[in-house]
Amino acid sequence: IVEIEVVGTEVGVIHLELETYCPNLASYQMTKDGATWQETGQRLAWPLKTGWNTLGLRTVNRAGVTGPETAIVVMLEDNQ
């Protein structure tokens, strides 16, 4: 399980820091709006688009085993 802390914001971007209790952590992976999983660091900037935004996060241990997905869903309204 990935614990997520918001460490900052700016227009259209949320800055996150990730933590986990995963033993033998090798890396974190993320997926934006259901796209292919990619490696990410412990800190990341999540750019938002107008509408619904989904961010999936998971751990990978040194044996290559992935942990369960943690998901965040955010709605960004168009203020025009």
Side-chain angles (χ1 to χ4, degrees):
I1 295 175
V2 178
E3 294 181 0
I4 304 155
E5 179 181 356
V6 175
V7 293
T9 62
E10 57 189 88
V11 176
V13 179
I14 299 175
H15 297 274
L16 305 170
E17 186 167 333
L18 312 178
E19 292 290 333
T20 186
Y21 297 105
C22 173
N24 300 310
L25 177 69
S27 65
Y28 292 98
Q29 291 183 338
M30 69 174 191
T31 177
K32 295 178 185 175
D33 299 314
T36 303
W37 288 96
Q38 302 174 15
E39 281 199 23
T40 189
Q42 187 174 359
R43 291 183 146 239
L44 65 116
W46 179 24
L48 304 174
K49 65 184 184 318
T50 300
W52 290 103
N53 296 267
T54 303
L55 180 67
L57 297 158
R58 66 186 182 188
T59 57
V60 181
N61 70 16
R62 291 183 190 140
V65 177
T66 57
E69 180 178 348
T70 300
I72 308 171
V73 179
V74 173
M75 166 60 129
L76 180 63
E77 294 183 357
D78 185 0
N79 291 325
Q80 294 183 6

